Amino acid sequence: MHRDQAPGAAPPGERPDSRRRPPRTDAVLADPRLAEAARRLGRPLVKTAVFDAQERARRGQIAPADVAD
């Protein structure tokens, strides 16, 4: 790892791995669709679904942009 490189970042000259870039949990939960779901279903259930989607994005099963979908 390069001295100035963040942990998990791609080495200089390489493209970063998008699977390591799922959106932050608070950003996903702020999506109006999920905020409404949290009001209806409860925040713990929606948060668990978000964690699961983030993990699927890390494994490359879904695109990071699709986590909130």
Side-chain angles (χ1 to χ4, degrees):
M1 177 166 57
H2 188 270
R3 183 173 60 93
D4 298 326
Q5 185 178 340
E14 289 187 27
R15 295 180 60 194
D17 184 350
S18 64
R19 292 173 296 177
R20 299 194 181 275
R21 303 300 246 158
R24 293 179 7 196
T25 303
D26 61 336
V28 177
L29 291 172
D31 181 295
R33 297 169 296 171
L34 296 182
E36 178 59 28
R39 282 190 284 282
R40 285 191 333 261
L41 304 171
R43 184 174 168 91
L45 180 64
V46 174
K47 194 172 181 181
T48 297
V50 168
F51 286 154
D52 291 345
Q54 288 169 315
E55 185 56 34
R56 290 179 63 211
R58 286 185 192 99
R59 284 190 244 133
Q61 296 172 330
I62 63 172
D66 294 337
V67 168
D69 294 338

